């Protein structure tokens, strides 16, 4: 993979080993099949167990709970390599790691951690994360999903929408307000009466990933399925910090795959008697792609060093997610043009990455929302309320 500023030298041996193992996995297991699956709108068969086998689920979860206990640099590199395969593959790993395992590890009881984390780390149990609702996307604090006390637990009523892996999940970490208006996280399990997960069909993006709804019709949630250690928006928003961090790395993988494809094509394709790479306009496109990728790589590396020291602020993570996803989408759009008509067919990965990145720039906080988070941080004024 392209590494113009020798980020390689900034990694230690363990980081390189982890990165190379995931790179090999993507090369051997994902790339040969991903176009067909995306074209047919099918998820990757047995994906979660395969991701579990290579330690890509909850990389930062300690070994005592079944995780590999790696640091955040390794987590970022894993996300980068997976997204070079497809954003759907990185999405599956992000949701399981940052949005399901992270909250159970951080806010769960010892019993919840012991029961669920090892099965989530191995991919035997598939998790989903329910925050977004039909009428509340960018403003999740206005959620309408409710918990009402009932005997030795609660009744959960409401609906979550646009949920990655909803149709195939075994459990879902769901955020709802209780009767005291506190935001609580609960673990909903497949088979609980009143819980259903219809699929969202006809997507033009992330076609190798299942998206759906989580519907709760007075679902009984026993007290032992409530995350005990959090009761405010800090809960779901902390999960988003972890996932957004991973996406800031992942987007680089997609961008590199597009850039490398365009570079090779431009060197081989001849028009007017010479390779199109010899024309200045194509060189400009390629040079600018590489410049932006290199800047994003350095930003991600620096963010990882801060995150490893627990010093990465949510606002820094927002800036990195926003910048790197926008960079990747811009690279994909430019790279597609380098291929001319060939850019629109599945023989090359660019159009698929481009369509995927239209979701990535929207989920985990839209491009606008992350700009406003930076705006608030630097001016002291919130544009939200
Ligand atoms: P605000 O009033 O600012 O804060 C409410 C409380 O939350 C705390 N807080 C945070 N805590 C941790 N991390 C953060 N990033 C935090 N941001 C805020 C804050 O300190 C406060 O705590 P407390 O204890 O005082 O109550 O919040 P707000 O309601 O004004 O909203 C702010 C806003 C708009 C930035 C936020 O709600 C937001 O980020 N909106 C975007 C929604 C979003 O990103 N949704 C993502 C859904 S999940 C998803 O998309 C998964 S895709 C998965 C895949 O397939 O990869
Ligand atoms: P809206 O909030 O309605 O925004 C629409 C437009 O208005 C956007 O351009 C936005 O930037 C703009 N806007 C909103 N507020 C402001 C403002 N204050 N100022 C300026 N502009 C504003 N959610 C989950 O909880 N779990 C998941 O697993 C999950 N997976 C997803 C998978 C996919 C494929 C997709 C597409 C989405 C997923 N989401 C998930 C939902 C995602 O997080 C939301 O789509 C996202 O937060 C935006 O919400 P929205 O779509 O309702 O857009």
């Amino acid at each position: 993979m392209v590494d113009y500023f020798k980020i390689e030298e900034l990694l230690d041996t363990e980081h390189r080993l982890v990165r190379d193992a995931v790179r090999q996995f993507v090369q051997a297991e994902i790339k040969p099949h991903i176009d067909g699956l995306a074209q047919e709108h099918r998820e990757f068969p047995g994906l979660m167990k395969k991701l579990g086998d290579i330690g890509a689920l909850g990389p930062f979860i300690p070994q005592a709970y079944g995780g590999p206990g790696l640091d955040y640099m390794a987590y970022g590199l894993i996300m980068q390599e997976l997204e070079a395969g497809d954003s759907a593959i990185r999405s599956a790993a992000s949701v399981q790691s940052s949005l399901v395992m992270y909250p159970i590890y951080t806010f769960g009881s010892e019993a919840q951690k012991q029961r669920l984390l090892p099965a989530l780390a191995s991919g035997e149990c598939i998790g989903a994360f329910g925050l977004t609702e039909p009428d509340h996307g960018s403003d999740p604090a206005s959620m309408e999903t409710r918990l009402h006390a009932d005997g030795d637990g609660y009744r959960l009523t409401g609906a979550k929408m646009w949920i990655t892996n909803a149709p195939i999940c075994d459990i879902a970490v769901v955020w709802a307000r209780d009767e005291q208006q506190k935001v609580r996280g609960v673990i909903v399990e497949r088979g609980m009466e009143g819980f259903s997960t219809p699929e969202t069909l006809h997507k033009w993006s992330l076609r190798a990933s299942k998206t759906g709804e989580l519907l709760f019709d007075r679902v009984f949630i026993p007290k032992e399925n409530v995350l005990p250690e959090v009761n405010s928006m800090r809960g779901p928003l902390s999960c988003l910090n972890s996932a957004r961090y991973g996406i800031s790395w992942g987007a680089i993988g997609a961008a590199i795959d597009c850039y490398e494809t365009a570079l090779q094509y431009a060197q081989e394709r001849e028009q007017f008697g010479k390779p199109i790479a010899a024309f200045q306009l194509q060189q400009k496109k390629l040079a600018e792609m590489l410049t932006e990728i290199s800047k994003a790589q350095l930003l991600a590396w620096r963010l990882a060093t801060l995150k490893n020291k627990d010093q990465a602020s949510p606002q820094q993570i927002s800036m990195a997610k926003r910048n790197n996803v926008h960079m990747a989408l811009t690279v994909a759009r430019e790279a597609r043009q380098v291929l001319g008509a060939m850019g629109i067919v599945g023989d090359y990965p660019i159009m698929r990455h481009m369509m995927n990145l239209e979701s990535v720039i929207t989920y985990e906080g839209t491009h606008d929302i992350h700009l406003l988070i930076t705006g608030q941080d630097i001016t002291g004024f919130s544009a939200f309320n």
Side-chain angles (χ1 to χ4, degrees):
M1 262 195 197
V2 62
D3 183 13
Y4 205 66
F5 273 80
K6 302 188 172 17
I7 309 276
E8 176 88 13
E9 290 175 8
L10 302 174
L11 305 177
D12 66 26
T13 309
E14 186 176 59
H15 296 142
R16 290 183 204 153
L17 285 172
V18 168
R19 181 202 57 192
D20 292 347
V22 180
R23 190 172 290 178
Q24 261 177 359
F25 164 79
V26 168
Q27 204 60 37
E29 303 269 350
I30 304 295
K31 289 201 169 173
H33 309 291
I34 191 65
D35 180 66
L37 292 166
Q39 298 272 3
E40 292 165 22
H41 212 324
R42 283 196 291 132
E43 82 274 25
F44 205 96
L47 175 68
M48 298 307 278
K49 286 217 177 100
K50 285 179 197 271
L51 291 175
D53 288 345
I54 60 164
L57 302 179
F60 45 77
I61 297 292
Q63 291 178 351
Y65 296 110
L70 299 169
D71 69 2
Y72 273 93
M73 188 75 76
Y75 178 46
L77 288 161
I78 292 170
M79 297 296 120
Q80 172 187 283
E81 297 303 320
L82 293 178
E83 198 146 358
D86 194 87
S87 301
I89 309 298
R90 195 270 308 138
S91 253
S94 286
V95 170
Q96 186 96 339
S97 304
S98 286
L99 301 182
V100 179
M101 297 176 75
Y102 173 87
I104 293 172
Y105 177 65
T106 311
F107 305 120
S109 66
E110 189 55 34
Q112 288 165 351
K113 292 185 217 184
Q114 300 273 4
R115 180 166 78 90
L116 294 169
L117 290 176
L120 288 160
S122 69
E124 278 158 52
C125 176
I126 300 177
F129 175 85
L131 179 63
T132 306
E133 299 186 354
D135 293 332
H136 309 285
S138 297
D139 179 21
S142 300
M143 67 179 74
E144 292 171 52
T145 301
R146 287 288 180 271
L147 281 168
H148 294 281
D150 183 4
D152 208 18
Y154 294 93
R155 292 279 166 190
L156 177 66
T157 307
K160 300 289 178 179
M161 197 175 178
W162 301 112
I163 307 303
T164 298
N165 278 349
I168 58 167
C169 72
D170 299 299
I171 64 165
V173 171
V174 174
W175 301 92
R177 281 197 192 272
D178 67 14
E179 286 155 302
Q180 287 73 46
Q181 299 307 312
K182 302 240 183 252
V183 173
R184 310 301 304 268
V186 297
I187 300 162
V188 184
E189 302 186 31
R190 172 84 54 200
M192 285 179 164
E193 205 179 326
F195 176 42
S196 58
T197 60
E199 183 172 353
T200 302
L201 299 169
H202 311 307
K203 290 182 299 171
W204 283 112
S205 179
L206 289 177
R207 287 172 62 83
S209 164
K210 293 281 177 203
T211 310
E213 295 166 67
L214 302 172
L215 305 180
F216 316 106
D217 181 6
R218 289 182 49 77
V219 179
F220 182 72
I221 309 289
K223 281 222 165 87
E224 53 272 21
N225 280 33
V226 179
L227 299 178
E229 302 298 338
V230 72
N231 60 14
S232 77
M233 281 303 289
R234 191 175 61 81
L237 292 173
S238 307
C239 304
L240 299 186
N241 294 336
S242 179
R244 291 166 177 173
Y245 166 79
I247 291 171
S248 72
W249 276 92
I252 296 170
I256 289 176
D257 201 39
C258 293
Y259 164 77
E260 289 184 339
T261 304
L263 176 61
Q264 188 180 346
Y265 187 89
Q267 287 166 329
E268 290 168 4
R269 172 75 172 167
E270 291 192 4
Q271 289 293 289
F272 300 97
K274 53 182 179 177
I276 59 169
F279 296 118
Q280 288 181 4
L281 284 176
Q282 303 312 316
Q283 290 187 3
K284 177 174 187 290
K285 286 194 179 79
L286 292 163
E288 285 179 349
M289 284 181 217
L290 180 57
T291 307
E292 294 308 315
I293 288 169
S294 300
K295 285 152 66 180
Q297 284 174 313
L298 288 164
L299 182 58
W301 180 86
R302 174 63 184 149
L303 190 64
T305 61
L306 289 173
K307 187 115 179 84
N308 275 342
K309 292 187 277 183
D310 203 18
Q311 288 174 5
S313 72
Q315 293 81 4
Q316 288 168 329
I317 293 171
S318 276
M319 186 185 279
K321 189 270 183 182
R322 180 176 187 273
N323 182 77
N324 290 8
V325 175
H326 186 256
M327 175 283 295
L329 190 49
T330 307
V331 165
R333 287 171 179 160
E334 291 289 303
R336 200 217 57 73
Q337 291 187 58
V338 172
L339 271 69
M342 276 298 185
I344 72 158
V345 292
D347 305 41
Y348 296 94
I350 300 177
M351 190 82 171
R352 176 169 47 78
H353 282 306
M354 192 173 101
M355 302 294 264
N356 286 341
L357 289 162
E358 291 291 344
S359 283
V360 182
I361 204 166
T362 290
Y363 67 34
E364 292 287 356
T366 67
H367 196 60
D368 299 328
I369 291 297
H370 289 298
L371 177 124
L372 297 176
I373 289 172
T374 305
Q376 178 176 358
D377 198 35
I378 58 181
T379 66
F381 295 106
S382 168
F384 299 114
N385 30 45

